[in-house]
Amino acid sequence: MIDERTITVAVVDDHPLFRRGIMSLLDTLDGVEVVGDAASVDEAIDLVDRAVPDVVLMDLDLGTGSGIDATKSIARRHPSVAVLVLTMLGDDRSLFAAMRAGARGYLLKVASPREVERAIHAVADGEVLFGADVAARAVAFLSGSSPEPGARPFPELTDRETEVLELVARGLDNGSIARTLVLTSKTVRNYVYGIITKLGAADRSALIVIAREAGFGVGSPSGATPGPVA
């Protein structure tokens, strides 16, 4: 059933009890070695840079950070590392965003220990594996045979980031966006920086181009000009 090589695994989850629980489970599996754990995006990236595991078990909700961001960074920095999402989030938006970010597998936390073991070996061997709860939707997405229900551009963005991007695309500066959304200018600046990072834009002007090509900023007020780069 399982090959003889040892598969190294890193665990990323911001809930200490669950993190310890999954690590204890992994310690009971033949041919699997836990090489470290992390609770945030930065910790996850540092851990993978140091240990370069075969597989990363990745939660999507990392408190103040996103497992999508961590997955994207890991996939870019270490293409050989397989990210296997293990999350409570079973919605289409989370699933498709994880796939776009480079995840090779997606399981819900209700998965059995046997399913987790099988998924770890599958993604370590270069396969793509999804839990039964999400498999049909994932296959439809990968094959292009079915559009995403309620699909929208840039599903990796949060609802608030999407609101900010819409206003950026309309040419509002950070101060105007802050007043519109009742936020501080610093908070808006942080949102804009995060959006630029997630979408891979070179700067704010490039972000506006990307956003408008995706349909944001329709009906921008005439004469509106982009604000300063965040």
Side-chain angles (χ1 to χ4, degrees), residues 32-225:
V32 173
E33 177 188 357
V34 178
V35 295
D37 63 290
S40 69
V41 173
D42 289 342
E43 288 179 6
I45 294 171
D46 288 344
L47 172 59
V48 173
D49 283 345
R50 285 186 283 104
V52 193
D54 297 310
V55 177
V56 176
L57 283 183
M58 177 70 70
D59 189 18
L60 293 186
D61 185 0
L62 298 178
T64 58
S66 167
I68 298 296
D69 294 336
T71 297
K72 187 179 296 183
S73 294
I74 290 168
R76 183 180 68 250
R77 297 158 74 103
H78 302 281
S80 66
V81 175
V83 176
L84 171 60
V85 171
L86 185 60
T87 180
M88 291 296 296
L89 304 176
D91 60 286
D92 288 347
R93 177 182 170 186
S94 298
L95 169 63
F96 297 131
M99 293 165 65
R100 285 197 179 96
R104 297 190 199 170
Y106 199 104
L107 293 179
L108 299 185
K109 287 185 176 179
V110 295
S112 68
R114 178 68 186 88
E115 289 175 306
V116 173
E117 180 182 17
R118 176 170 173 263
I120 287 172
H121 283 271
V123 299
D125 287 338
E127 300 176 30
V128 176
L129 189 142
F130 299 94
D133 306 85
V134 299
R137 305 199 315 272
V139 170
F141 174 77
L142 288 171
S143 66
S145 61
S146 174
E148 300 174 32
R152 70 179 188 183
F154 315 131
E156 60 267 44
L157 301 183
T158 65
D159 291 341
R160 178 61 87 183
E161 287 172 335
T162 300
E163 292 176 341
V164 171
L165 180 60
E166 170 64 28
L167 297 178
V168 169
R170 292 186 182 186
L172 275 66
D173 61 21
N174 287 353
S176 298
I177 294 173
R179 288 190 292 274
T180 300
L181 299 180
V182 195
L183 299 170
T184 66
S185 293
K186 180 179 179 180
T187 298
V188 172
R189 184 168 66 250
N190 290 338
Y191 274 126
V192 173
Y193 177 79
I195 296 167
I196 287 174
T197 301
K198 285 185 178 182
L199 300 188
D203 52 29
R204 191 186 188 108
S205 296
L207 179 64
I208 291 174
V209 173
I210 292 171
R212 290 180 177 174
E213 287 179 346
F216 286 81
V218 176
S220 300
S222 60
T225 56

